[in-house]
Amino acid sequence: MKKTMLAVLLGCALNLAHAWDQQPNHYKVRIDADAQRAHVEADVWIEGKELAMFNAFAIPGLKDGQATFIDKLDARTMDGKPLPIKDKGEGEYELDGDRRVKLSYDVRLEHDKYDWPGGQEEVLYHTDEGVMAIGYYLFLVPGEKMLGQTRVEFDLPQGWVARTPWKQAGAPNVFTADTRRELVNNALFLGTAQQEQFTSGGMQISMVLGKRNWPQRAMMRELIERQLASYVKLFGRPPLADRYLIIANPGATGDGGAFAGSFSQFLKGDINAMTRPFWGRVMAHELLHFWNGHSLVPAQPSEEWFKEGVTDYLTVTTMARNGMFNQAHVTRFLENLGRGQSVARQGQGLTSTVQDAVKDKHNAWLLVYGGGSIAGLAMDVELRRATQNKVGLPDVMKALYAEFAQPGKTYTHADIVRVAKQVGGVDLGPMLQKIVATTEPFDLKPVMQEMGFEYEHFLFMLEHDITLRPDATAAQKQRFKDIFGFSYK
């Protein structure tokens, strides 16, 4: 009996010895004067035995991906005793955790010398005004879970300022992040680029622009404010986060990447009203992810078509309703849906379903984005047809958002079908099965006809054309107007 009690007491003592100390985590990031290296000092509670650079992945020539750039990694107990670290590859490390650990390491800021599947705007790049970096590639964090708030301090070259989506912690260049996701799943800009701050869509927006695009900030702000107002109306309320950082710099790709409370975008060419359907579409798409993607979250990667493709469809429809897409732009978008299918299937020879295309998203983007946009259009049209134009996809999005936009809650494919039936009284399951779960190109002709269009395509010439049918009914014409906000002429 005495031995049993002793064992219990020893067990309790051991558990108490490894209990979280209730203290915040700390990271100090020093950027060298030439901006080619970051030195990080940290003390962080490691729950379990895993330390990680999340979202590191191998590319040709870099078997450990972004973790290749970590140098001089050292871990110690809080009283200075060395802790052995086992490098498991691709940013995964093992050490004796369940304690607070002192970390020290360097990050070589060489990421923009390599091509990444998602683009440098989703990893790290330099400009003549500083460095854009995603938190994933600066912060080594506990792999199992991260307890408590995290305080981050930047020591920067003279004249530089840290632009982050985190809460300011009193002193300049000092911030707090509430969760691991908020810490690592965000874009940052460290440098001299200027920032404009304003309130829109229920959020505090910070817009950081390179000096080439700073003179066009009023045009960008107008687009942001108009689109955010449309998204609040579309989903019924603001997104879960209340701060959002936008970082935009010149870049040849014109692409962007969205994160938990931020997005990073390259701006291709001149920024003006004529090019707004291009740069503005990317910006508006990334903004919409703050609702569909980060507040409304799929349970499985197979629903990436809904996260990306339906987001793109709703981006186009809202931009059209806001006068930023004219009839020619909408026509091109509709024709490109079919053209994209043909290129993906016959040109690229892609054989996966739209759902499975997420496994090779960056090569199969015509299926993920294009196939998802086709699904969005087909859902919208069918709902409006079945309800005499009374219910459309926006009603489904609002209902999904009301049910699933909660921290930790996710939706499934079955939920999309269920909610659509509840809202519009129509079973979209069989139609979605044809679009996203088979490898056959979806026949767009009936969908186009329900908007009053004749749809012709010539496979070998990749010509896909829509023209207004002379016998288009008033209901079909109204359907198009309800979706895009103007009458087709």
Side-chain angles (χ1 to χ4, degrees):
M1 182 68 178
K2 290 181 179 179
K3 290 182 178 180
T4 302
M5 182 61 72
L6 181 60
V8 170
L9 291 172
L10 285 172
C12 290
L14 286 171
N15 287 335
L16 287 172
H18 293 291
W20 175 42
D21 60 11
Q22 305 291 314
Q23 298 301 306
N25 306 299
H26 302 89
Y27 288 82
K28 184 172 183 179
V29 181
R30 186 182 75 242
I31 304 296
D32 287 355
D34 61 0
Q36 295 303 309
R37 185 174 288 263
H39 179 67
V40 182
E41 298 278 350
D43 70 81
V44 57
W45 183 271
I46 306 293
E47 187 80 1
K49 297 181 179 297
E50 297 295 325
L51 184 68
M53 172 177 281
F54 277 89
N55 212 38
F57 49 87
I59 61 171
L62 295 179
K63 67 180 181 64
D64 290 323
Q66 294 89 337
T68 304
F69 305 116
I70 294 177
D71 284 340
K72 304 177 184 177
L73 175 58
D74 180 76
R76 297 177 180 268
T77 63
M78 293 304 289
D79 58 2
K81 296 178 181 176
L83 286 172
I85 301 176
K86 179 181 179 181
D87 187 347
K88 299 165 65 176
E90 290 192 36
E92 294 185 5
Y93 305 88
E94 185 177 302
L95 76 172
D96 187 9
D98 288 320
R99 69 178 77 204
R100 184 164 294 277
V101 172
K102 286 185 176 180
L103 297 174
S104 175
Y105 58 93
D106 284 359
V107 181
R108 303 193 314 275
L109 306 180
E110 301 174 5
H111 307 66
D112 45 3
K113 296 179 180 178
Y114 298 84
D115 292 326
W116 303 96
Q120 293 173 352
E121 73 276 12
E122 295 192 17
V123 182
L124 182 147
Y125 64 82
H126 292 76
T127 75
D128 58 359
E129 297 175 273
V131 177
M132 192 294 301
I134 306 304
Y136 285 129
Y137 310 117
L138 287 179
F139 302 108
L140 288 174
V141 294
E144 292 188 17
K145 59 181 176 180
M146 193 168 188
L147 301 174
Q149 282 189 328
T150 299
R151 182 181 174 94
V152 182
E153 179 181 353
F154 291 96
D155 181 0
L156 302 173
Q158 186 174 4
W160 281 30
V161 177
R163 311 295 191 187
T164 84
W166 307 322
K167 294 188 292 287
Q168 194 87 31
N173 296 328
V174 182
F175 307 88
T176 57
D178 290 333
T179 65
R180 181 177 65 187
R181 181 171 184 263
E182 187 180 351
L183 175 68
V184 300
N185 186 239
N186 267 312
L188 322 169
F189 192 85
L190 311 173
T192 59
Q194 297 187 75
Q195 173 180 255
E196 179 160 340
Q197 295 181 305
F198 54 96
T199 301
S200 183
M203 295 175 288
Q204 295 295 318
I205 305 294
S206 296
M207 182 170 61
V208 177
L209 300 175
K211 57 189 176 184
R212 175 180 173 182
N213 302 120
W214 182 250
Q216 288 79 43
R217 64 190 180 279
M219 179 178 295
M220 293 184 185
R221 177 170 173 171
E222 178 192 19
L223 179 140
I224 291 166
E225 291 183 321
R226 291 173 72 177
Q227 288 301 119
L228 290 180
S230 293
Y231 299 157
V232 171
K233 182 178 179 181
L234 174 65
F235 292 97
R237 54 187 168 92
L240 295 183
D242 56 7
R243 293 179 309 281
Y244 205 57
L245 174 69
I246 299 167
I247 302 170
N249 282 293
T253 65
D255 290 335
F259 301 92
S262 55
F263 75 77
S264 166
Q265 180 178 351
F266 279 141
L267 298 167
K268 182 178 181 179
D270 294 327
I271 304 303
N272 53 47
M274 289 187 63
T275 60
R276 186 168 54 190
F278 307 104
W279 62 263
R281 180 174 172 180
V282 174
M283 186 169 283
H285 176 106
E286 303 302 343
L287 285 169
L288 203 153
H289 272 316
F290 218 37
W291 282 262
N292 189 28
H294 294 304
S295 298
L296 191 61
V297 180
Q300 301 294 333
S302 56
E303 268 40 86
E304 190 79 359
W305 65 270
F306 193 84
K307 175 185 168 185
E308 292 290 2
V310 171
T311 289
D312 209 41
Y313 170 73
L314 293 170
T315 298
V316 171
T317 59
T318 52
M319 287 187 71
R321 296 182 67 82
N322 285 332
M324 298 179 187
F325 261 43
N326 59 27
Q327 180 169 302
H329 298 129
V330 170
T331 300
R332 187 182 303 116
F333 167 73
L334 293 174
E335 291 174 344
N336 280 343
L337 293 179
R339 189 175 293 115
Q341 274 196 126
S342 296
V343 171
R345 297 300 186 189
Q346 280 74 39
Q348 291 181 271
L350 300 178
T351 57
S352 68
T353 67
V354 170
Q355 285 182 319
D356 287 341
V358 67
K359 297 173 184 176
D360 190 20
K361 176 180 174 180
H362 297 291
N363 289 323
W365 65 270
L366 280 172
L367 292 181
V368 176
Y369 288 76
S373 291
I374 288 172
L377 173 66
M379 292 169 70
D380 206 357
V381 169
E382 179 58 18
L383 285 162
R384 294 177 188 276
R385 184 202 65 77
T387 62
Q388 293 74 53
N389 291 340
K390 294 177 182 177
V391 172
L393 184 58
D395 300 285
V396 175
M397 301 306 296
K398 186 176 293 185
L400 281 168
Y401 200 76
E403 182 175 348
F404 291 101
Q406 303 174 37
K409 194 167 186 179
T410 58
Y411 67 87
T412 66
H413 184 93
D415 290 320
I416 298 170
V417 175
R418 172 181 58 80
V419 171
K421 191 169 185 179
Q422 289 174 350
V423 171
V426 58
D427 183 5
L428 297 178
M431 182 184 71
L432 287 177
Q433 174 74 16
K434 292 180 181 179
I435 300 173
V436 304
T438 72
T439 60
E440 294 298 319
F442 183 69
D443 184 5
L444 279 163
K445 191 163 189 171
V447 177
M448 298 298 183
Q449 286 179 343
E450 288 298 337
M451 293 187 293
F453 296 122
E454 192 65 54
Y455 174 64
E456 300 290 344
H457 60 94
F458 306 94
L459 177 61
F460 297 108
M461 297 177 68
L462 291 180
E463 289 187 4
H464 294 250
D465 302 303
I466 63 168
T467 54
L468 191 62
R469 293 165 56 97
D471 61 348
T473 68
Q476 290 169 343
K477 292 178 180 179
Q478 186 63 42
R479 198 164 293 135
F480 176 89
K481 184 177 181 180
D482 288 345
I483 293 172
F484 294 102
F486 61 87
S487 297
Y488 198 93
K489 299 177 182 178

